[in-house]
């Protein structure tokens, strides 16, 4: 994300809620400005979105700010920008978010024009995983576009700005009033026409964005917003291969399935589109690499780095303990032994006191308690130990699932533990949680998958079942998060288990339908259709005579259904028998496949055919009248 430090901005240098110190301006929009800030309580960088003061009195905009915080707080996913806090400071309403250094996907497109196929699939892998998490949580983003996708130099992808997100109660969300929410280039037809949105709304926008990543421009352009919206309503998104060369047919099919104008014909949600994307990527042998950031995005802004130099004050060692005892000389010249026992008692008492004092020092007095240093920065821990008269001993950093990287994660002795005065405390900074790359489990049994994941300190949250054309029933199709994703140890993984190929019934009523109607119905149910044609005296031309397999038969989805289509009755030329004897004429007519109907037109004649009718090309079996005399 490119940043410009604008010291003239009145927010720079302020402290919001006595906690968030505003350090620099990142970006300014029509509704809010985003700043780089420091959380002084936790000593970490954050991004703070501050609503413009003149908009803070608008209840709708204030509600959008609160909605963004609530929506993002419901999501915990590595591909979603986290929202940490929300509040107001005077006239300033603000959100505190995870700081993601890098650039937007729009910056990358502006610099590159378009992405390579594997780069586009790598970006959409993360975007669809984030949207799938939102849909599972009952949220619709409603503003999926390149400006809301953040990329980092180390290859992370984050979906941001859930300011338009709404909870889905049932199946749809209806926009209130006459305000159309979203960005015109990515809005689906149902949102334009009826103002409603559900998970399929995000699928359409994601399909449009994938089209743009592959071709370098959105599918529709227009002179004004109204004309652009009408194109979304009235025109189908074209296949990307019609705009850019080298795009496989499988990718065209994925984009068109995501951007169908009729929501019922569209992929059902982001999880389904994500699975389809991964399946296409696997078939095409894509290895997925997030595109490199533009040079300007990594050089124009430099964030000052805190000084972590350790300064240890020299503390003199404690003086040696050398208690002295005052001894009393006994008069050697005293002859009376009874006068010596009080002196012996004094010496004994002094010895006991010294033993008690020494035992106390050895057992208690030479120890102090370690202060709590967990969660502090290195410099803060050094200072706190110095104030307690102790010395730090820094060991190599260690992984921690709970402590932010760069803060103290391990302290030995533990906080409150005993340590000798002026002694040393062993410390380790956190290097963040242990991470693992989720392996590909496709084709494994559920037992094998559980064993593999448990060996990586990952757990199975639940299993989902879905039909799959290639993976055997009961075997693993994939996971959520997907294979290749980097996750923290202890992360819950959802297994997607194959239900095998979906079984469908061959529909009723196909026999007797026209060829066009029958083919359309069968293909709509995902059957393949073949055709053959036969003559029929009873079935009109172009109408289905028979179907194989027959109706109501259970077959695999995608199976082939064979239709026999009527050619109508077969016609042949009626033999010309005029002038022939009636007996020969009858034989010829019957031999040609017709029915002879002799009719004596003139009695007592020689028995020759005067006229035959009908003549010419006639259907087999037609009755031919033979007039003879």
């Amino acid at each position: 994300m490119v940043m410009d430090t604008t010291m003239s901005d009145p927010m720079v240098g302020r402290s919001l809620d006595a906690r968030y110190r505003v350090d620099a301006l990142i970006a300014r929009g029509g509704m809010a400005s985003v700043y780089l800030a420091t959380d002084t309580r936790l000593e970490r960088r954050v991004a703070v979105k501050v609503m413009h003061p003149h908009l803070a009195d608008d209840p709708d905009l204030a509600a959008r700010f609160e909605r963004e915080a609530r929506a993002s707080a419901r999501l915990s996913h590595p591909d979603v920008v986290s929202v940490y806090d929300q509040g107001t400071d005077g006239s300033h309403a603000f959100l505190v978010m995870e700081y993601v250094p890098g650039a937007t996907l729009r910056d990358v497109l502006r610099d590159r024009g378009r992405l390579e196929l594997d780069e586009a699939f790598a970006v959409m892998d993360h975007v669809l995983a984030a949207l799938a998490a939102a849909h599972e949580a009952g949220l619709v983003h409603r503003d999926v576009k390149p400006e809301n996708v953040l990329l980092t130099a180390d290859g992370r992808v984050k979906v941001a700005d859930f300011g338009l997100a709404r909870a889905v109660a049932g199946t749809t969300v209806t926009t209130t009033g006459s305000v159309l929410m979203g960005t015109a280039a990515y809005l689906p037809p149902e949102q334009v026409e009826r103002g409603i949105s559900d998970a399929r709304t995000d699928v359409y926008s994601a399909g449009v964005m994938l089209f743009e990543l592959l071709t370098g421009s959105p599918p529709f352009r227009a002179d004004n917003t109204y004309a652009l919206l009408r194109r979304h309503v009235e025109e189908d998104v074209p296949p990307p291969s019609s705009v850019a060369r080298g795009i496989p047919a499988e990718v065209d099919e994925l984009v068109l399935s995501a951007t169908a104008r009729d929501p019922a014909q569209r992929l059902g949600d982001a999880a389904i589109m994500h699975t389809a994307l991964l399946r296409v990527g696997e078939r095409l042998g894509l290895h997925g690499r997030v595109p490199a950031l533009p040079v300007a995005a990594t050089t124009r802004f430099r964030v000052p780095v805190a000084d972590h130099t350790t300064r240890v004050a020299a503390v003199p060692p404690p003086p040696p303990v050398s208690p002295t005892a005052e001894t009393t000389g006994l008069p050697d010249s005293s002859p009376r032994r009874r006068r010596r026992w009080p002196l012996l008692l004094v010496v004994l008492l002094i010895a006991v006191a010294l033993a008690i004092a020494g035992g106390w020092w050895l057992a208690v007095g030479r120890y102090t308690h370690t202060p709590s240093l967990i969660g502090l920065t290195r410099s803060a821990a050094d200072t706190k130990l110095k104030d307690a008269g102790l010395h730090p001993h820094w060991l190599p950093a260690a992984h921690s699932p709970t402590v932010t990287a760069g803060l103290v994660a391990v302290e030995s002795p533990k906080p409150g533990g005993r340590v000798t005065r002026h002694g040393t405390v062993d410390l380790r900074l956190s290097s963040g949680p242990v991470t693992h790359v989720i392996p590909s489990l496709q084709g494994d049994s559920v037992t094998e998958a559980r064993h593999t994941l448990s060996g990586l300190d990952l757990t199975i949250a639940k299993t989902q079942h879905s039909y799959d054309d290639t993976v055997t029933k009961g075997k693993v199709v994939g996971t959520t998060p997907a294979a290749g994703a980097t996750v923290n140890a202890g992360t819950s993984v959802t297994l997607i288990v194959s239900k095998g190929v979906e079984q469908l019934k061959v529909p009723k009523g196909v026999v007797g339908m026209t060829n066009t109607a029958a083919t359309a119905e069968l293909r709509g149910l995902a059957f393949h259709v073949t055709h053959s044609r036969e003559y029929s005296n009873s079935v009109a031309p172009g109408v289905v005579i028979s179907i194989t397999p027959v109706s109501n038969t259970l077959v695999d989805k995608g199976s082939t259904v064979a239709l026999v289509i009527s050619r109508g009755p077969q016609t042949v030329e009626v033999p010309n028998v005029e002038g022939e004897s009636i007996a020969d004429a009858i034989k010829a007519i019957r031999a040609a496949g017709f029915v002879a109907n002799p009719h004596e037109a003139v009695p007592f004649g020689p028995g020759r055919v005067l006229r035959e009718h009908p003549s010419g090309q006639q259907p087999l079996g037609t009755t031919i009248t033979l007039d003879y005399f």
Side-chain angles (χ1 to χ4, degrees), residues 399-489:
H399 290 292
S400 172
T402 57
V403 179
T404 303
L407 304 181
V408 176
V410 178
E411 177 181 355
S412 181
K414 293 181 179 180
R418 292 203 313 172
V419 63
T420 57
R421 295 181 185 275
H422 308 294
T424 299
V425 178
D426 291 336
L427 299 171
R428 294 180 188 268
L429 293 176
S430 170
S431 59
V434 176
T435 59
H436 297 288
V437 175
I438 295 181
S440 175
L441 302 174
Q442 188 177 70
D444 289 358
S445 67
V446 174
T447 301
E448 291 169 338
R450 287 182 184 276
H451 180 73
T452 300
L453 292 176
S454 62
L456 296 175
D457 195 18
L458 301 173
T459 60
I460 295 179
K462 57 182 178 180
T463 57
Q464 295 178 346
H465 293 80
S466 66
Y467 293 107
D468 192 276
D469 298 341
T470 58
V471 178
T472 305
K473 182 178 180 180
K475 300 292 187 180
V476 175
V477 175
T479 58
T480 303
T486 300
V487 297
N488 295 342

Side-chain angles (χ1 to χ4, degrees), residues 171-172 187-194 196-204 232-233 236 256-269 272:
T171 58
T172 61
L187 284 178
E190 69 272 15
Q191 201 168 355
V192 175
E193 290 187 304
R194 304 187 298 279
I196 62 173
S197 55
D198 59 14
R200 295 170 296 183
T201 301
D202 288 345
V203 168
Y204 183 93
H232 280 282
V233 172
D236 292 327
L256 298 183
S257 297
T259 57
R261 280 190 287 164
D262 181 359
Q265 302 299 321
R266 204 177 297 157
L267 297 174
D269 58 28
I272 296 174

Side-chain angles (χ1 to χ4, degrees), residues 531-545:
H531 305 86
S532 61
R533 296 180 181 273
E534 294 181 359
Y535 291 105
S536 173
N537 292 334
S538 59
V539 179
V543 174
V544 177
I545 299 173

Side-chain angles (χ1 to χ4, degrees), residues 135-210:
H135 294 171
E136 187 175 0
L139 294 172
V140 182
H141 189 285
R142 299 201 303 165
D143 198 18
V144 177
K145 58 184 178 181
E147 287 80 357
N148 285 336
V149 179
L150 307 179
L151 286 74
T152 68
D154 59 358
R156 289 178 293 146
V157 179
K158 297 270 190 176
V159 177
D161 198 354
F162 277 77
L164 296 184
R166 287 289 182 90
V168 180
T171 58
T172 61
V173 175
T174 304
T175 302
T176 57
S178 60
V179 180
L180 187 64
M181 307 300 285
T183 303
Y186 307 91
L187 284 178
E190 69 272 15
Q191 201 168 355
V192 175
E193 290 187 304
R194 304 187 298 279
I196 62 173
S197 55
D198 59 14
R200 295 170 296 183
T201 301
D202 288 345
V203 168
Y204 183 93
S205 301
V208 172
M209 189 167 76
L210 177 55

Side-chain angles (χ1 to χ4, degrees), residues 361-427:
W361 172 257
L362 291 173
V364 179
R366 67 190 182 115
Y367 291 102
T368 186
H369 295 284
T370 55
S372 177
L373 307 173
I374 303 297
L376 298 183
T377 63
R378 180 166 181 161
S379 57
D382 286 341
T383 299
K384 194 166 184 178
L385 282 177
K386 178 181 178 181
D387 292 344
L390 299 170
H391 304 283
H393 178 220
W394 290 100
L395 298 171
H399 290 292
S400 172
T402 57
V403 179
T404 303
L407 304 181
V408 176
V410 178
E411 177 181 355
S412 181
K414 293 181 179 180
R418 292 203 313 172
V419 63
T420 57
R421 295 181 185 275
H422 308 294
T424 299
V425 178
D426 291 336
L427 299 171

